Amino acid sequence: MDIDSALAKLAHAPLDHVDLSQIEIGVMRGLAQTTLVIKSQRPIRLGAMTAAMIVGVSLGGVAAASSQSHETLISGAHLAPSALLALPS
């Protein structure tokens, strides 16, 4: 039983014929389906994170290899973390 149809049926039912016994079962079934979908998507999410890491490391390696300077801690290197901390003169 769909929860929306159950609530609509409940809204239009007379107060003396209200059967609430199936609402909890419907909610629990919906939660179980949501949990199943989340668990089935776990390999997809893991694959996407792995692919993103591989692309990030690869592009970082290419950028470092094509860098003008091999010194990473001087302020002139465009990849240097210290260049981000330098105050503009």
Side-chain angles (χ1 to χ4, degrees):
M1 176 180 277
D2 183 28
I3 190 70
D4 292 329
S5 62
L7 289 174
K9 183 179 174 183
L10 179 63
H12 298 297
L15 293 178
D16 57 344
H17 299 311
V18 175
D19 180 24
L20 299 176
S21 64
Q22 299 299 313
I23 290 180
E24 185 177 355
I25 294 170
V27 169
M28 291 303 173
R29 187 177 297 135
L31 288 174
Q33 288 175 347
T34 302
T35 303
L36 182 65
V37 168
I38 290 171
K39 285 182 180 179
S40 69
Q41 291 177 348
R42 191 172 291 156
I44 295 170
R45 287 185 287 150
L46 182 61
M49 287 188 296
T50 303
M53 291 287 289
I54 290 170
V55 168
V57 169
S58 299
L59 291 179
V62 169
S66 65
S67 174
Q68 301 293 333
S69 172
H70 294 291
E71 299 291 329
T72 58
L73 296 178
I74 61 172
S75 63
H78 71 281
L79 294 177
S82 60
L84 300 174
L85 300 174
L87 296 174
S89 314

